[in-house]
Structure formats: structure tokens, C-alpha cells
Amino acid sequence: MKLLVELSGVVPAPAAEVFTRLAESLRAQPYNPGFEMDAERRFLAQQGGWWYRGEYTVEEDPAGARVTHRVYNVATWSRWAVPLANRFFVGFADRVGEGLIGCWENSPRPAARGVRSVRFT
């Protein structure tokens, strides 16, 4: 596995609630061939296609919950083609961050409602 992108942001909501919302959001996606969840460690993973694996961890933070998202290249063949197939990942980190923010924007859960940004480090 080769790490391609790592983003971390703080969501102003309790970690348990953020984990639950993130798990629900990932589970609900129409294409979800490889979903893993370890609630005790607050760890989620989603793997699909020939190269993609996304891993999420949710940790307590003084400002709420720190969500870390890592994207890995897990291709076992033609690994060299992954950057080409993804336009060398130009703007990829921004799109991943926007997806993370989008997870909270329309949340039905009171603690997540109204979140419009996540602070990335």
C-alpha cells in the first residue's frame, strides 16, 4: 500500500456521533464492495476498484472530533498507472476535503447540523 493523501480535520461535534455519521454515510454509498468497521477503535475503511482504499479514524479533540482520512494506492498490478488514470492527482486533496465537509452539511443529526467547514492540518 502506498499512501497518496492524508487529511485531518476537526468537526465541532462529539467523536462518537461523528463516527456514527461517517459510518452511515460510507455504508449508504451505492458502490461499496469493501467496507470495514471497528467501532471500538473508531476506524472505517472502504476499498473498491483496482487501486483505491480509504481509511478513516475519529479521535477525541478539545474542539470536537478529529477525523483523519488516508487514501492509499493498493493496486497489485499496473500500480504505475494510478497517477495517470487520476490526472496525477491534481486537486485530489481538495476534492477529498470537500467530500469530508459534504458529509456534515446536510446531516439530520443536531450536533452536526450547520457545519460548513472542517479545519485541515
Side-chain angles (χ1 to χ4, degrees):
M1 281 195 315
K2 179 181 179 187
L3 180 63
L4 299 174
V5 175
E6 180 175 323
L7 294 172
S8 180
V10 175
V11 178
E17 187 156 337
V18 170
F19 178 80
T20 299
R21 175 71 178 122
L22 184 57
E24 289 171 354
S25 176
L26 292 175
R27 221 183 264 140
Q29 293 182 4
Y31 178 72
N32 199 3
F35 179 77
E36 300 170 36
M37 182 171 89
D38 181 340
E40 188 175 313
R41 293 183 342 176
R42 290 195 192 120
F43 171 84
L44 299 160
Q46 192 171 36
Q47 188 164 326
W50 62 281
W51 72 269
Y52 176 84
R53 180 175 175 86
E55 295 183 349
Y56 300 83
T57 56
V58 179
E59 301 170 314
E60 300 286 344
D61 186 274
R66 175 164 295 281
V67 179
T68 301
H69 177 54
R70 294 175 183 91
V71 176
Y72 293 93
N73 174 358
V74 294
T76 57
W77 52 271
S78 299
R79 182 176 291 225
W80 58 269
V82 171
L84 293 174
N86 290 282
R87 296 183 182 102
F88 294 99
F89 296 99
V90 173
F92 186 71
D94 291 336
R95 289 191 306 277
V96 170
E98 289 166 6
L100 187 58
I101 292 168
C103 182
W104 312 113
E105 284 184 334
N106 298 310
S107 176
R109 298 181 180 285
R113 236 182 261 144
V115 173
R116 295 289 182 257
S117 65
V118 176
R119 185 179 72 239
F120 297 106
T121 55

